[in-house]
Amino acid sequence: MPPTAHTPTLVAHMAVLSGGHRPNSIGAIRECIERGVPRIEIDIHSLEGGDYVVTHDRKLEQETTGRGSVGSANADAVRATHFIDNAHDRPALLTEVSALAANSDMQIQLDLKDWRPLTAARTQGLLDAVAPIRDRVIVSSGQDWNLRSLAATGAVTTGFDPGLYIDSAGEPYYLPRHLGAYNYRDDHPLALNRTVPVAEYLEQRFEQLTLLAPASREWFISYRLVLQMLDDGFDAASWLRARDIDPNIWTLDYDGAQTLAAYDRLAAAGVARVTTNTCLAWEDALSARPASR
């Protein structure tokens, strides 16, 4: 497919840009700010006593010298740790990220990893931690119950990832557990038997899923899921845009012609943002192509 007039925004996954810094790290975030990256995505988890930690893990011992559940630790416990492979660095606190980004224009997607329902204290802790940058923050999650709690405050923008409810065919991660009759990972009763065309089934499921996080003005969807739905005659990006919801995809890394073809299909469908670990490779690959007439 030739280059398209629509160019999705590239989002630095876990703030990875050059690859010279640990993902989700202060160094990576600082590099993105200095290089003028329009938006980054980082992972966060709540702590006891306020504040959040920037991490993809739920156990401190997975990457640091700490021990125990991230959600049971406090900010001082995080400050006392260091990475197993780097005695001079540790996970960042969200308040530290907010202070670093306060004077930039960069948007920050905070991918919330909490599964348990947020308490009022943890909800307020998040709002307090992002206060200096709240107008440039979007909190994303697949845990719709926590998105509804945050949206109810009216103080922060939220975005929904429907991947716990529907996903592309292939090996399941943890949810959904079953491959349904329409060849999608889907545990919903509608997926038990084929009773309507695939595109109609998908539209039904999207209608249902919008009710789970009705305040979310962005969705974050696996690029494989969007491509499979396009093959089945359902344009998820156009469907979402018609409802004033920005369609974003994750995580498409540049790896030659095959990924470039996937990018073109997604861009032509109207995807707003592409989350990737290879922003610079995408920029090089896209700029090397001849301009469209």
Side-chain angles (χ1 to χ4, degrees):
M1 181 179 290
T4 174
H6 171 72
T7 303
T9 299
L10 296 173
V11 178
H13 182 234
M14 296 192 288
V16 170
L17 189 62
S18 69
H21 302 276
R22 174 187 288 273
N24 274 332
S25 70
I26 284 287
I29 295 167
R30 182 180 291 111
E31 179 183 37
C32 287
I33 292 172
E34 293 172 350
R35 297 284 291 271
V37 173
R39 182 188 279 204
I40 64 171
E41 180 265 6
I42 56 175
D43 303 298
I44 62 167
H45 198 294
S46 65
L47 297 169
E48 285 286 356
D51 216 334
Y52 279 61
V53 62
V54 180
T55 182
H56 193 279
D57 301 320
R58 292 186 172 86
K59 296 288 186 180
L60 288 170
E61 58 264 30
Q62 288 178 262
E63 285 197 343
T64 79
T65 54
R67 291 291 182 271
S69 167
V70 170
S72 298
N74 59 27
D76 287 339
V78 172
R79 293 188 188 97
T81 70
H82 61 76
F83 289 118
I84 294 170
D85 59 355
N86 186 346
H88 304 289
D89 198 8
R90 60 162 172 81
L93 299 172
L94 185 53
T95 49
E96 295 170 332
V97 173
S98 292
L100 178 65
N103 295 320
S104 78
D105 296 324
M106 186 174 68
Q107 296 178 353
I108 302 181
Q109 176 193 343
L110 302 175
D111 200 34
L112 180 63
K113 296 304 180 185
D114 288 55
W115 273 69
R116 59 185 173 181
L118 291 177
T119 62
R122 288 177 189 259
T123 299
Q124 189 60 49
L126 177 55
L127 300 181
D128 291 344
V130 302
I133 57 172
R134 192 180 298 176
D135 61 333
R136 290 181 283 113
V137 160
I138 180 168
V139 181
S140 63
S141 181
Q143 286 69 262
D144 51 280
W145 49 94
N146 284 330
L147 291 180
R148 290 192 296 271
S149 295
L150 289 169
T153 69
V156 68
T157 303
T158 59
F160 180 47
D161 179 345
L164 295 178
Y165 296 98
I166 189 168
D167 206 350
S168 59
E171 291 300 317
Y173 180 40
Y174 43 82
L175 289 172
R177 296 185 182 276
H178 300 100
L179 184 65
Y182 296 93
N183 201 36
Y184 288 84
R185 292 284 168 188
D186 188 357
D187 297 332
H188 193 273
L190 279 181
L192 289 176
N193 298 289
R194 283 196 179 224
T195 56
V196 295
V198 181
E200 186 176 331
Y201 148 76
L202 291 169
E203 184 166 9
Q204 284 277 342
R205 292 296 286 122
F206 266 48
E207 288 281 6
Q208 295 160 2
L209 291 168
T210 57
L211 301 176
L212 296 179
S216 292
R217 305 325 305 162
E218 295 186 22
W219 273 30
F220 301 88
I221 315 176
S222 160
Y223 82 90
R224 293 182 178 89
L225 177 58
V226 176
L227 290 175
Q228 183 178 339
M229 290 188 292
L230 284 173
D231 289 340
D232 284 331
F234 181 69
D235 186 339
S238 293
W239 192 93
L240 291 167
R241 282 187 177 278
R243 290 153 181 81
D244 296 322
I245 301 171
D246 276 359
N248 308 310
I249 59 100
W250 54 265
T251 301
L252 181 61
D253 294 338
Y254 178 74
D255 189 26
Q258 184 174 357
T259 49
L260 194 57
Y263 172 94
D264 282 336
R265 287 191 72 195
L266 294 161
V271 164
R273 299 174 187 84
V274 173
T275 301
T276 180
N277 295 293
T278 58
C279 285
L280 299 183
W282 275 120
E283 289 175 358
D284 290 344
L286 295 171
S287 63
R289 304 199 308 183
S292 58
R293 294 182 179 180

